[in-house]
């Protein structure tokens, strides 16, 4: 009798959606949100890079087993909005402090990364591309285990995960891309959360066997071509994405009306890839239905061998506001000033021009959950 | 004297959540073994960080919808939009589900009083002998 009173519906269907328009001024090339997008948001106004629709079905099988399936339609590596299954897992909770998930789960490399497509869940119009745009896998097929324990005034949780990615195509420049099949990911993170603070230290190791595609050998200078030839044009060594290590430190401070997020990451690449540093600092302040915010994000590639396509630096300073038009809908307006130097993989249509340039991007979007 | 008026207004705004929360209490069934909870216990349970009471018993939080906005304002000083955004992160990563929703007073108090594992909140003036107050706003510990 008592149990019946608290039983939830066994089946729940939920969803999230973003419709967002992007306009950019100055510079050359069209911005993308993630490195798997083959085309950028072109002018005058593009809905391509940020608009998406997700549907999720949650099914309670028993008191300690749940199933979740989530489909997402967004512009991705196949060059269209074809839907993709992002989550499909069983969650087993043998004890109240332990969760085990088995199946297709989110790749939780960074804080926010599991829900980087759920616009309603964060203040910005999109998660900073300098940090989240570089993530190679939308999901992994494997398992994760999370253990939680109260410590002090908060809760400490430890998560370990392992699995394989799907088939992805990543674009480094207009001419260079790589197809990766079933990359192997493993890692974990320690989280500590109180009412006002959240801290995460994460580590992930990713192994892939990328199949490089290069469409314009004329782009390289003679010197670069000579060097490449001497190396046997070993793109794997040049870009170094066959073995990647991610170390991430995130800190959120959310006292009352403030929402302050900070994150620093180091991505270490194999071969001559060197390492890529990235990070963000964001500050928002809630004024009833408005949350104005400022966000600064950067990425800085430090290859051991400087060749076209693997050396870049980019910084975005964004100012915007979130306006909660309803308890499940947020309208967002964001203006970004982007400075890019080198072959940052967040642009399409730049051709061979990897010189430093500045760009202003205007984004207007509506995020809903239902 | 404009600065004084501004100061008083700011003070009033700061105190608003406390005034709004003065009549809210967190309750369990009278059959529950729980006698009291700390502020951190209530936050951790209603924000989905813990699903057990301090003694280790499973707990199911329930949102009484007419008081939901006031409750979270009192608890963590956040607007409902921020609370919903937080739950969107947990729900769409498949890591958690928000508290069960209850719309009517009778349904809510029935739910709490018949289930020792349910934690809810009510207006203090409507507490009756079927439930026990385990946390009262204003007496934060």
């Amino acid at each position: 009798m008592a149990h019946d009173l608290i039983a939830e519906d066994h089946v729940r269907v939920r969803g999230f959606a973003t419709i967002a328009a992007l306009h950019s001024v100055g510079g050359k090339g069209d911005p993308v949100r993630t490195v798997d997008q083959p085309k950028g948001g072109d002018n005058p106004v593009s809905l391509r890079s940020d608009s998406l629709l997700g549907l999720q079905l949650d099914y309670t099988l028993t008191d300690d087993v749940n199933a979740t399936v989530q489909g997402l339609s967004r512009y991705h590596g196949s060059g269209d909005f074809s839907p993709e299954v992002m989550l499909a897992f069983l969650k087993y909770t043998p004890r109240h402090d332990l969760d085990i998930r088995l199946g297709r789960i989110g790749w939780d490399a960074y804080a926010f990364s599991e829900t980087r497509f759920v616009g309603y869940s964060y203040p910005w119009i999109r998660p900073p591309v300098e940090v989240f745009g570089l993530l190679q896998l939308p999901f992994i097929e494997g398992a994760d285990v999370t253990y939680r324990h109260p410590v002090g005034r908060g809760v400490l949780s430890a998560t370990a995960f392992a699995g394989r990615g799907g088939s992805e195509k990543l674009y480094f420049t207009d001419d260079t891309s790589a197809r990766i099949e079933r990359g192997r990911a493993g890692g974990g993170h320690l989280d500590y959360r109180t009412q006002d603070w959240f801290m995460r230290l994460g580590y992930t190791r990713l192994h892939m066997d990328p199949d490089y595609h290069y469409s314009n050998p004329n782009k390289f200078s003679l010197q670069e071509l000579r060097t490449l030839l001497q190396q046997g044009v070993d793109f794997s060594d040049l870009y170094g994405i066959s073995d990647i290590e991610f170390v991430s430190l995130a800190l959120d401070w959310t006292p009352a009306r403030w929402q302050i997020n900070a994150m620093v990451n180091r991505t270490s690449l194999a071969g001559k890839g060197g390492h890529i540093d990235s990070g963000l600092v964001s500050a928002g302040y809630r004024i009833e239905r408005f949350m104005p915010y400022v966000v600064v994000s950067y990425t800085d590639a430090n290859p051991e061998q400087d060749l076209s396509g693997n050396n870049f630096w980019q910084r975005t300073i964004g100012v915007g506001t979130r306006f909660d038009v309803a308890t499940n809908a947020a309208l967002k307006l964001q203006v970004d000033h982007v400075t890019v130097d080198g072959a940052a993989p967040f642009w399409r249509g730049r051709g061979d021009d990897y010189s430093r340039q500045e760009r202003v991007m205007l984004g207007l979007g509506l995020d809903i959950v239902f | 004297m404009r600065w004084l008026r501004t100061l008083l207004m700011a003070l009033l705004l700061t105190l608003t959540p406390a005034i709004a929360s003065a009549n809210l209490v967190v309750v369990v069934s009278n059959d529950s073994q729980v006698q009291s909870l700390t502020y951190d216990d209530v936050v951790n349970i209603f924000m989905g960080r813990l699903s057990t009471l301090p003694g280790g018993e499973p707990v199911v939080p329930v949102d009484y919808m007419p008081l939901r906005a006031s409750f979270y304002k009192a608890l963590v000083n956040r607007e409902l939009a921020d609370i919903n955004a937080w739950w969107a992160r947990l729900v769409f990563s498949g890591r958690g589900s928000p508290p069960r929703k209850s719309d009517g007073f009778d349904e809510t108090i029935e739910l709490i009083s018949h289930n020792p594992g349910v934690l809810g909140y009510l207006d203090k003036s409507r507490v009756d002998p079927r439930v026990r107050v385990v946390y009262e706003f204003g007496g934060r510990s």
Side-chain angles (χ1 to χ4, degrees):
Chain A
M1 175 64 186
H3 179 78
D4 289 339
L5 273 172
I6 60 170
E8 288 273 22
D9 296 336
H10 282 287
V11 180
R12 287 293 306 268
V13 179
R14 301 177 171 105
F16 55 93
T18 297
I19 181 159
L22 175 67
H23 173 70
S24 55
V25 180
K28 187 181 178 188
D30 301 324
V32 295
R33 175 181 172 128
T34 53
V35 289
D36 66 348
Q37 294 185 327
K39 288 183 182 175
D42 44 10
N43 274 334
V45 172
S46 174
L47 300 175
R48 181 187 291 139
S49 52
D50 292 316
S51 299
L52 52 84
L53 171 67
L55 283 174
Q56 179 169 314
L57 185 144
D58 295 293
Y59 183 65
T60 304
L61 285 93
T62 67
D63 284 349
D64 47 19
V65 179
N66 296 283
T68 295
V69 178
Q70 184 189 96
L72 178 67
S73 170
R74 68 178 180 99
Y75 182 68
H76 61 123
S78 58
D80 56 25
F81 282 80
S82 54
E84 189 173 26
V85 176
M86 298 291 279
L87 301 177
F89 63 81
L90 289 174
K91 184 167 93 172
Y92 174 49
T93 307
R95 297 166 17 172
H96 286 276
D97 54 4
L98 188 68
D99 290 330
I100 300 168
R101 303 191 304 171
L102 189 67
R104 183 174 288 193
I105 55 179
W107 185 32
D108 205 10
Y110 300 153
F112 287 107
S113 65
E114 275 191 308
T115 45
R116 61 190 184 274
F117 298 115
V118 186
Y120 184 82
S121 69
Y122 43 76
W124 323 293
I125 200 162
R126 73 186 70 80
V129 295
E130 289 82 3
V131 174
F132 298 95
L134 282 171
L135 289 174
Q136 293 84 0
L137 305 178
F139 55 79
I140 60 172
E141 289 172 345
D144 69 358
V145 180
T146 299
Y147 172 73
R148 291 176 298 277
H149 191 73
V151 173
R153 300 191 65 181
V155 177
L156 180 71
S157 67
T159 298
F161 58 85
R164 305 196 72 146
S167 174
E168 311 296 336
K169 190 170 185 183
L170 312 177
Y171 295 83
F172 304 109
T173 66
D174 288 326
D175 309 310
T176 314
S177 61
R179 179 161 290 284
I180 52 172
E181 302 283 348
R182 313 269 300 151
R184 290 200 307 271
H189 48 83
L190 278 176
D191 295 357
Y192 183 66
R193 188 181 291 280
T194 66
Q195 183 203 324
D196 294 339
W197 290 93
F198 169 72
M199 285 157 272
R200 168 177 288 195
L201 178 62
Y203 173 83
T204 302
R205 195 177 178 99
L206 175 63
H207 173 79
M208 301 183 289
D209 293 312
D211 180 15
Y212 289 94
H213 178 72
Y214 190 69
S215 60
N216 182 15
N218 295 325
K219 186 188 68 176
F220 286 121
S221 70
L222 195 61
Q223 178 60 42
E224 288 174 333
L225 195 58
R226 192 174 294 133
T227 308
L228 283 173
L229 287 171
Q230 285 169 355
Q231 292 177 339
V233 198
D234 185 351
F235 284 111
S236 188
D237 189 54
L238 180 63
Y239 288 106
I241 68 164
S242 54
D243 284 288
I244 310 178
E245 285 183 329
F246 304 80
V247 177
S248 178
L249 180 65
L251 187 65
D252 296 349
W253 186 43
T254 52
R257 298 172 180 275
W258 286 96
Q259 182 167 331
I260 296 169
N261 310 95
M263 187 187 297
V264 288
N265 310 303
R266 170 156 291 194
T267 305
S268 302
L269 304 163
K272 295 185 175 56
H275 65 269
I276 300 172
D277 291 323
S278 64
L280 70 89
V281 178
S282 171
Y285 186 78
R286 170 66 69 179
I287 307 168
E288 296 184 348
R289 293 162 75 179
F290 288 91
M291 182 184 276
Y293 59 83
V294 178
V295 55
V296 179
S297 52
Y298 72 94
T299 189
D300 183 14
N302 299 276
E304 290 176 11
Q305 186 168 359
D306 182 2
L307 290 167
S308 296
N310 70 344
N311 190 9
F312 56 86
W313 174 88
Q314 180 168 313
R315 182 196 62 206
T316 297
I317 302 172
V319 178
T321 189
R322 169 187 175 127
F323 173 52
D324 288 275
V325 293
T327 53
N328 68 335
L331 194 63
K332 296 174 183 174
L333 176 67
Q334 183 170 321
V335 181
D336 292 320
H337 178 268
V338 186
T339 307
V340 55
D341 195 2
F346 312 117
W347 304 87
R348 305 289 176 260
R350 285 181 75 195
D352 299 344
D353 183 4
Y354 297 144
S355 60
R356 182 186 177 97
Q357 59 174 278
E358 296 185 19
R359 196 81 182 259
V360 173
M361 302 199 311
L362 177 66
L364 177 65
L366 177 69
D367 295 311
I368 61 169
V369 290
F370 51 94
Chain B
M1 298 299 281
R2 182 177 290 175
W3 66 271
L4 185 60
R5 196 165 56 198
T6 307
L7 187 66
L8 286 173
M9 286 294 289
L11 195 62
L12 188 64
L13 283 172
T14 307
L15 291 174
T16 300
I19 292 167
S21 66
N23 294 323
L24 284 176
V25 288
V26 179
V27 295
V28 294
S29 165
N30 243 335
D31 296 333
S32 170
Q33 300 298 311
V34 179
Q35 299 300 317
S36 67
L37 293 175
T38 67
Y39 169 74
D40 293 325
D41 293 334
V42 178
V43 171
N44 287 331
I45 291 168
F46 275 94
M47 298 304 286
R49 295 168 202 153
L50 287 178
S51 56
T52 54
L53 294 163
E57 305 91 350
V59 64
V60 177
V62 172
D63 274 337
Y64 176 38
M65 297 308 281
L67 296 181
R68 187 169 179 248
S70 304
F71 175 71
Y72 286 101
K73 192 80 178 168
L75 188 66
V76 288
N77 199 11
R78 304 272 162 74
E79 300 291 329
L80 274 188
D82 296 326
I83 301 300
N84 292 342
W86 162 251
W87 280 110
R89 282 174 68 178
L90 294 188
V91 166
F92 293 115
S93 60
R95 289 197 180 274
S97 296
R100 180 196 162 135
K101 294 177 173 56
S102 178
D103 291 312
F105 175 78
D106 291 339
E107 176 196 357
T108 304
I109 203 156
E110 283 285 307
L111 195 60
I112 298 166
S113 61
H114 285 93
N115 294 276
V118 167
L119 190 66
Y121 49 86
L122 298 171
D123 190 296
K124 189 177 180 180
S125 65
R126 303 194 73 176
V127 170
D128 69 25
R130 290 176 291 175
V131 295
R132 178 188 306 131
V133 175
V134 290
Y135 181 78
E136 195 164 344
F137 289 94
R140 186 178 288 192
S141 61

